[in-house]
Amino acid sequence: MGTLLSVRDLWRSFGGLAVTQGVSLDLEAGSQEAIIGPNGAGKSTFFNLLTGYHRPTSGSIVFDGVEVSHMPPHRIVRRGMSRAFQVANIFVRMTVFENVRCAVQAHMGRTLDLFGNAESQGTERSREILEMCSLADKAETEASSLAQGDRKKLELALALASDPKLLLLDEPTAGMSLEETHETMKVVDGLNRTLGITVLFTEHDMSVVFNHARRITVLHRGKIVAQGLPDEIRNNEYAQEIYFGEKS
Amino acid sequence: MKFSRIGPASVFFAFMAIVPLAGSVFWTMIATEVLIMGLFAMSFNLIYGYMGQISFGHAAFFGIGAYATAMIGRTFGNDYGWFFLALAMSVPVAAIFAAIIGFFVIRRTGIYFAILTMAFGELMFFLVFSSYSVTGGDNGIQGLLPPPLLRAPSHYHYLVLCVVALCFVLLWRITQSPFGYTLRAIRDNAKRVRFIGVNVEFCMWVNFVVAGAFAGLAGGLWAPFTRSVAPTLLNWQESGIPVFMALIGGAYTFAGPLFGSLIYTLLHAWVTGVTQYWSLVIGLVMVFIVFLAPTGVVGSVLRQWRTPGISAPAEPKTPTVASPERG
Amino acid sequence: MPFDADLLMTQLVVGVARAMMLFLLSAGLSLIFGVMNVLNFAHATFLLLGGYIIYSVYSLIGPGILMFLLAVAAGCVVLAAIGFALERLVISRMYERELPEQLLLTFSFVLIIGDLIRLVWGVEDRSVSFNIEPLEIFGTFVNPYQFVVIGLGLAVALGLWMFLKFTRYGRIVRAAVHSREMVSALGIRIRLIYASVFALGLALAALAAGAFLPTAPMALGVDIDLIVQSFAVVVIGGFGSILGTFVASLIVGIVYAFSVLVWPNGALAVVFLIVVAILIWRPWGLFGSELRT
């Protein structure tokens, strides 16, 4: 398997403050990896850079053989990189099903279909995705009345609608109960193993990280300070010190 | 389509169809005004209720449509072919202006969108006002006559009824299309829509143009109705009208603005018969509505009756219009 | 029409004076938005109201420049009182509401106050004029009143800046721009701050009316011309920055003054070309922050 994502010497500063300082990272297709680091380490900014929400000050991001560092978010999504947010970002005044159907129709390129009937397009695929994220029973619920855990599941469902090759998950289990965490990570493992989707996630819960990531990258103050297999990171003194020492 | 969804609207259009039968020219013309302004308000609501941005300059397109029809009508006379062409041309002309203005205003959302639409609307008003040689300036254009068979108020009313009913169906289709749902998604959370692979700015621009085109048609119907056009058709007060109608009727119901037009137009006809201080009255009415019935009269009534609603989007629970990008 | 240096000089003075008037108006608009996150559509309508009040007070106590200044002071006080009361009674109930409702409320004020002015003062234009000898500068005659306006604008700009930077109240106001919760948490009486800021904004509008009155008449509809130009100012300068408002006011005022020479009917359009350029190049404004769009 080849390299799906290749980040080289990525920099980004906000008003003189360098938040991302020369990050380089390679991701093999089919892998499932985690990025960890204390609050403010630059994880979210890193995701924002990858997905085009912020433009890097310098550096390159090659995704699936194409330089994407200057593309707007929607074009990067269409190339097969999608993300789920840490704080659920959903369409609150639509039902769960309409949420996913809208994303599926966007992936089908139906967004500018002004006169077609939305109710007859992409419904099969939407049901499938809801099934996958165990949200099928809540399809007709208005998104604003979902519980926190279900919101995060819907967040994942929206990310899946674009049939991604690479899925970026920002704290996928934040705010979930133990049971929901387990369930969600099982879904994520399934996406990776059976559908071959490459997964890169950030997570605060160390047991989730060590159980579900095959490789871990430690980010601290905008720089990569350690990288390795879970066991290596567990025993890496530097990582322990900066991460576990400062863990809030 | 279930009856509960189209029921109230069917009753509305049926009622509009029988008004001229009563034989009163006054009430027939009021009904025509309700329909034209209702179309104007519904076009505005594509931007407000569905896309979540509030425009205080929508009259620019209403006025441009009216001027397009008036100027073509003035140039080529009022035989049937030219009349309908003049009427139809209000759509592309307004759309072109909406395309140009929209290109700039959709770059900002929330408060800035409101500011920019009002500012550009006033700019268009000013340009029409001051281009005396082209538009007649302050005097506007007078003496526009529809062709003979359409001159009777009741006849013109039925033409307007057909056009507005057709637009009603078209607008319904648009709001139920994948595009319509994408607009709702943008309204709820514009940032997230980017990450499902949608070019948000482009969608907003397309919607701005579509809304401008329908407003243009409403203006095109207006010019022969009042036999004249004047620059005030484009100004900020005119832009306030669809905003008021949408809020009176309920912006989160499909046909709400149409009912808002009914209430507003009747109120206007009554109050202006009593006092010249209409602005004061409608201003106070709006202050009361903002405080007492923020979901609009129709929206509030519907909630009281617990009927399923005239149509699609649910009542707002979480305000997100303020700044979709901030979420 | 040949442009000689004299004419350009005159227009420059007129433009800068106009810019200062716009600054007084826009600073209040910007301050109210920055602190309370409320857009006051009716800000220029309050200017108009202030202008009519100043006119009426002046016709009672005038004539004379000193009496005029007294009338302006009275206008500021009345408008500040109106602002304070309005914030406490109406605006303060809107902070938790949706943006469109807030906009609709202040938009309704434009209609209500406009009609109230018509009710009280009628539809005639009202103006105040002094017979001041024009001042000769470099061979050009300039109305010295323009320099008074310029001086006033500079003084207020400096005063506002120093107030925000160096006084305790100013620091609280600036903190409120960044985080309302934090200011409330500090136990500061945020409600008093809000009402005061609104009062200050309206007093500045009355001051702008005072600057405006001797150069052009108060008339119904003037408020819309002014609010549109003020909107252009805040879009160009970016909300919430006194410096941005100041620079943008200068740009709009001067560009407007010179455009009038070339294309009298299209001066506003030229101002809008700048707005359009800003929207393409820096949508968040010259001095606004990219993150706060």
Side-chain angles (χ1 to χ4, degrees):
Chain A
M1 290 237 222
T3 308
L4 182 63
L5 178 73
S6 173
V7 180
R8 280 290 161 274
D9 200 23
L10 201 64
W11 287 78
R12 167 76 204 208
S13 26
F14 293 98
L17 182 72
V19 180
T20 305
Q21 305 182 28
V23 171
S24 298
L25 181 78
D26 282 310
L27 208 56
E28 293 293 309
S31 60
Q32 176 161 316
E33 301 194 1
I35 294 183
I36 60 172
N39 287 329
K43 292 168 294 182
S44 292
T45 305
F46 184 57
F47 273 13
N48 282 337
L49 290 170
L50 290 181
T51 53
Y53 192 61
H54 294 320
R55 287 209 172 165
T57 312
S58 68
S60 90
I61 303 166
V62 176
F63 173 66
D64 205 14
V66 178
E67 175 70 46
V68 297
S69 58
H70 290 289
M71 287 186 187
H74 65 269
R75 283 184 59 201
I76 295 177
V77 173
R78 284 185 208 159
R79 301 206 71 85
M81 187 199 304
S82 77
R83 75 186 281 191
F85 289 80
Q86 179 183 354
V87 179
N89 251 312
I90 53 181
F91 311 127
V92 285
R93 281 181 244 182
M94 292 157 63
T95 66
V96 170
F97 185 69
E98 285 168 352
N99 264 265
V100 176
R101 191 182 64 195
C102 185
V104 167
Q105 285 169 352
H107 178 60
M108 291 161 66
R110 305 305 305 163
T111 297
L112 290 175
D113 177 359
L114 266 72
F115 298 102
N117 186 354
E119 283 173 25
S120 62
Q121 299 181 33
T123 47
E124 280 300 303
R125 177 74 183 134
S126 307
R127 299 231 173 269
E128 222 175 277
I129 290 169
L130 286 180
E131 203 68 56
M132 233 189 288
C133 302
S134 51
L135 273 172
D137 55 328
K138 304 221 165 52
E140 299 309 320
T141 311
E142 193 180 270
S144 61
S145 52
L146 286 181
Q148 183 58 28
D150 287 333
R151 283 177 175 236
K152 295 284 286 186
K153 288 183 196 164
L154 179 53
E155 183 61 44
L156 180 62
L158 287 177
L160 286 176
S162 59
D163 253 334
K165 296 187 187 103
L166 171 61
L167 189 57
L168 304 175
L169 305 173
D170 202 349
E171 310 238 350
T173 68
M176 284 188 174
S177 68
L178 206 62
E179 195 185 339
E180 284 173 326
T181 299
H182 186 68
E183 190 184 14
T184 302
M185 289 318 290
K186 227 169 83 183
V187 172
V188 173
D189 285 344
L191 293 172
N192 179 254
R193 298 220 174 89
T194 51
L195 298 179
I197 299 174
T198 310
V199 177
L200 182 63
F201 67 97
T202 69
E203 186 55 62
H204 259 106
D205 185 338
M206 281 306 116
S207 66
V208 170
V209 172
F210 288 123
N211 288 329
H212 296 273
R214 266 165 260 151
R215 191 175 68 152
I216 298 168
T217 301
V218 185
L219 209 58
H220 183 50
R221 295 196 179 137
K223 288 183 184 136
I224 292 180
V225 291
Q227 194 172 48
L229 302 174
D231 281 341
E232 295 169 356
I233 295 300
R234 221 191 292 263
N235 299 321
N236 181 311
E237 274 179 37
Y238 194 34
Q240 272 182 348
E241 190 184 326
I242 69 104
Y243 189 70
F244 301 103
E246 281 181 33
K247 194 177 169 192
S248 49
Chain B
M1 259 187 251
K2 294 184 206 107
F3 179 78
S4 66
R5 289 181 129 188
I6 57 162
S10 327
V11 172
F12 176 85
F13 280 108
F15 179 69
M16 283 293 145
I18 59 170
V19 169
L21 302 181
S24 156
V25 170
F26 177 78
W27 288 111
T28 302
M29 290 182 78
I30 291 284
T32 311
E33 191 175 334
V34 169
L35 286 169
I36 297 174
M37 296 313 277
L39 175 59
F40 182 27
M42 285 175 72
S43 76
F44 161 80
N45 207 38
L46 279 181
I47 296 173
Y48 176 48
Y50 288 90
M51 195 170 78
Q53 299 299 321
I54 189 159
S55 166
F56 281 99
H58 205 49
F61 310 117
F62 180 80
I64 286 167
Y67 267 90
T69 298
M71 285 162 73
I72 295 169
R74 180 184 60 176
T75 312
F76 296 104
N78 56 10
D79 72 57
Y80 291 91
W82 283 114
F83 173 77
F84 283 107
L85 183 75
L87 188 58
M89 284 306 285
S90 62
V91 176
V93 173
I96 287 167
F97 278 91
I100 297 166
I101 293 174
F103 180 76
F104 301 109
V105 296
I106 54 102
R107 285 158 191 268
R108 300 297 301 264
T109 53
I111 257 167
Y112 288 91
F113 187 89
I115 289 179
L116 287 168
T117 46
M118 174 159 174
F120 275 95
E122 280 301 296
L123 177 68
M124 294 315 295
F125 160 73
F126 188 75
L127 290 179
V128 168
F129 185 86
S130 55
S131 314
Y132 188 85
S133 55
V134 187
T135 60
D138 200 8
N139 298 328
I141 300 168
Q142 319 289 333
L144 301 162
L145 278 180
L149 262 181
L150 289 168
R151 277 179 205 168
S154 59
H155 293 182
Y156 196 74
H157 176 79
Y158 285 113
L159 171 72
V160 169
L161 182 66
C162 291
V163 174
V164 173
L166 182 72
C167 289
F168 186 86
V169 174
L170 277 177
L171 284 165
W172 170 259
R173 290 296 299 258
I174 291 171
T175 58
Q176 298 303 309
S177 70
F179 180 72
Y181 277 92
T182 308
L183 290 180
R184 289 177 182 76
I186 291 173
R187 173 194 69 195
D188 281 0
N189 193 337
K191 177 184 168 188
R192 188 64 173 96
V193 179
R194 295 178 205 289
F195 293 100
I196 59 173
V198 171
N199 186 343
V200 171
E201 279 77 19
F202 188 68
C203 270
M204 287 174 73
W205 179 75
V206 169
N207 187 47
F208 196 83
V209 175
V210 171
F214 278 103
L217 184 57
L221 289 169
W222 185 262
F225 171 60
T226 57
R227 311 287 199 255
S228 66
V229 291
T232 50
L233 288 180
L234 287 84
N235 75 3
W236 65 278
Q237 276 160 313
E238 192 79 11
S239 285
I241 294 174
V243 184
F244 294 159
M245 288 176 171
L247 271 114
I248 291 172
Y252 299 104
T253 51
F254 174 68
L258 207 55
F259 289 94
S261 171
L262 179 68
I263 297 170
Y264 179 96
T265 308
L266 290 176
L267 190 68
H268 180 259
W270 175 56
V271 172
T272 47
V274 180
T275 167
Q276 54 166 325
Y277 296 101
W278 161 248
S279 294
L280 182 64
V281 174
I282 189 65
L284 290 172
V285 167
M286 291 320 296
V287 170
F288 278 107
I289 286 190
V290 165
F291 278 106
L292 300 177
T295 50
V297 174
V298 174
S300 305
V301 169
L302 285 175
R303 255 197 323 194
Q304 294 289 312
W305 289 349
R306 298 206 167 275
T307 50
I310 295 170
S311 81
E315 293 295 336
K317 289 213 173 79
T318 350
T320 47
V321 184
S323 180
E325 295 292 316
R326 231 179 262 174
Chain C
M1 182 171 27
F3 298 130
D4 47 40
D6 294 355
L7 185 60
L8 295 182
M9 183 68 202
T10 314
Q11 279 316 104
L12 184 65
V13 174
V14 168
V16 175
R18 194 184 167 77
M20 291 305 129
M21 198 265 294
L22 268 179
F23 169 74
L24 292 176
L25 180 67
S26 312
L29 186 74
S30 179
L31 203 61
I32 290 171
F33 177 72
V35 176
M36 280 102 89
N37 225 355
V38 165
L39 178 74
N40 186 13
F41 257 111
H43 207 65
T45 315
F46 284 113
L47 180 154
L48 201 59
L49 180 63
Y52 278 95
I53 291 173
I54 293 169
Y55 168 83
S56 288
V57 174
Y58 181 65
S59 21
L60 278 177
I61 63 171
I65 290 180
L66 205 64
M67 286 299 145
F68 180 70
L69 293 181
L70 209 59
V72 173
C76 292
V77 171
V78 173
L79 263 280
I82 292 176
F84 197 92
L86 208 60
E87 199 281 339
R88 289 297 339 129
L89 295 175
V90 186
I91 310 274
S92 59
R93 292 165 209 274
M94 296 302 295
Y95 294 138
E96 303 305 317
R97 303 288 283 275
E98 287 188 57
L99 173 74
E101 293 166 7
Q102 291 185 355
L103 290 177
L104 201 71
L105 187 77
T106 58
F107 189 82
S108 303
F109 287 169
V110 180
L111 293 165
I112 295 171
I113 297 163
D115 247 13
L116 284 178
I117 290 174
R118 195 155 67 100
L119 196 68
V120 176
W121 283 277
V123 292
E124 296 152 51
D125 295 358
R126 302 294 164 119
S127 60
V128 167
S129 63
F130 310 116
N131 291 319
I132 313 172
E133 287 290 308
L135 210 63
E136 193 184 332
I137 305 164
F138 307 123
T140 319
F141 289 98
V142 180
N143 183 351
Y145 186 76
Q146 308 281 16
F147 290 104
V148 177
V149 172
I150 295 171
L152 179 71
L154 287 173
V156 170
L158 195 68
L160 263 182
W161 181 74
M162 285 184 16
F163 166 74
L164 290 176
K165 189 113 184 154
F166 299 116
T167 66
R168 188 181 123 80
Y169 252 107
R171 278 196 292 267
I172 294 170
V173 168
R174 278 197 304 155
V177 172
H178 290 291
S179 166
R180 279 190 246 179
E181 292 77 12
M182 190 188 82
V183 172
S184 314
L186 287 173
I188 294 158
R189 292 169 65 192
I190 195 83
R191 301 200 307 183
L192 192 67
I193 301 275
Y194 284 177
S196 309
V197 166
F198 208 82
L200 175 66
L202 260 53
L204 284 173
L207 201 56
F212 186 84
L213 202 48
T215 55
M218 284 290 147
L220 295 169
V222 164
D223 53 336
I224 299 304
D225 290 351
L226 289 177
I227 198 72
V228 166
Q229 288 181 42
S230 191
F231 284 168
V233 166
V234 294
V235 169
I236 293 171
F239 258 125
S241 144
I242 292 290
L243 181 65
T245 309
F246 188 78
V247 172
S249 300
L250 275 178
I251 293 173
V252 171
I254 293 172
V255 166
Y256 191 89
F258 281 102
S259 312
V260 163
L261 288 183
V262 188
W263 184 22
N265 284 335
L268 192 62
V270 178
V271 169
F272 270 74
L273 287 181
I274 305 172
V275 172
V276 159
I278 286 285
L279 286 174
I280 294 172
W281 173 56
R282 275 177 79 89
W284 52 91
L286 285 178
F287 292 83
S289 145
E290 184 176 358
L291 295 175
R292 194 175 173 176
T293 44

